[in-house]
Amino acid sequence: MALRGPKVWLWRWRRNPLKRRADKVEAWVVLGVWMLTVFVGVLAGMTVSRSVEDGLAHERVEWRPLVARLVERAPGTASGNGGVSRAEHVWAEARWTAADGSSHSGQVRVLAGSQAGSPITVWTDREGRQVTRPVTESQARVRAALIGGVAGVCTAVVPLAAGRAVRRRLEHRRMDQWDAEWSRFGPMWGRTTG
């Protein structure tokens, strides 16, 4: 187990006669990479989050509920369990008329055994095509925050990985310099007096 002294903050910027130019360059690279990583991650996360939230708000404004009618009786029967009915949902064909007067049809989830002609609410876009129910404002905020967070983290990986590559290159260069110096001074240590 290695013994370490107390942790020294900002050690890369402290004065030290043994500090080389490569150490100073590495200190600035580390600082720059971390600042760039945070900036890029936050910027990307906020941009994506705002875009997702705007898109979901646009859906809430444009998507409208319409009343559709079942074309035929839904398959299955409503099952009961000890006097308590348990609703089972199945897919059935329904038709509706869009706001522009065009007729549309599609599969909708309804209670098993629903009769033909039963009204069911479907959500449609401007052209009358069937869509899912739009998310609420609070659901949109949560979804936008999650997607923005993931996008920010994924984007922040790029400068972080680039910084790691630069540091690895600096480390190899520093080791090559040490090898050159060791080959120059190492043989002097092997000499004995006598």
Side-chain angles (χ1 to χ4, degrees):
M1 181 167 114
L3 296 176
R4 292 184 178 179
K7 189 169 187 171
V8 179
W9 292 100
L10 302 174
W11 63 270
R12 292 179 189 271
W13 285 274
R14 296 184 83 150
R15 289 185 183 201
N16 185 339
L18 299 177
K19 187 188 293 186
R20 300 173 185 211
R21 182 173 173 265
D23 297 326
K24 293 177 185 176
V25 169
E26 183 179 4
W28 286 107
V29 165
V30 168
L31 178 65
V33 164
W34 277 109
M35 289 176 60
L36 186 64
T37 298
V38 169
F39 176 74
V40 166
V42 169
L43 181 66
M46 289 176 63
T47 303
V48 169
S49 178
R50 188 173 305 121
S51 175
V52 168
E53 200 163 355
D54 289 347
L56 294 174
H58 182 73
E59 288 176 358
R60 277 195 306 278
V61 169
E62 295 218 349
W63 294 359
R64 294 284 171 232
L66 291 176
V67 175
R69 302 278 177 189
L70 291 180
V71 174
E72 57 188 25
R73 186 175 186 279
T77 59
S79 62
N81 186 7
V84 178
S85 69
R86 183 174 52 95
E88 181 181 346
H89 287 83
V90 295
W91 289 100
E93 183 79 17
R95 286 197 201 293
W96 62 91
T97 302
D100 64 1
S102 61
S103 180
H104 296 272
S105 65
Q107 295 284 318
V108 294
R109 297 277 291 173
V110 295
L111 291 173
S114 295
Q115 297 299 318
S118 296
I120 185 79
T121 302
V122 294
W123 286 85
T124 60
D125 62 8
R126 283 184 182 237
E127 288 78 34
R129 294 179 301 225
Q130 186 178 3
V131 294
T132 60
R133 177 188 297 260
V135 296
T136 64
E137 195 172 333
S138 62
Q139 291 171 330
R141 273 194 302 272
V142 170
R143 187 177 293 180
L146 289 174
I147 294 172
V150 169
V153 168
C154 290
T155 305
V157 167
V158 174
L160 195 61
R164 297 277 296 172
V166 169
R167 284 189 64 202
R168 191 176 307 122
R169 180 68 187 127
L170 288 172
E171 183 68 24
H172 285 297
R173 187 172 178 193
R174 186 170 37 243
M175 286 296 133
D176 291 342
Q177 288 173 348
W178 278 60
D179 285 343
E181 288 179 20
W182 180 254
S183 66
R184 236 179 34 213
F185 292 107
M188 290 184 206
W189 290 4
R191 294 186 188 158
T192 57
T193 57

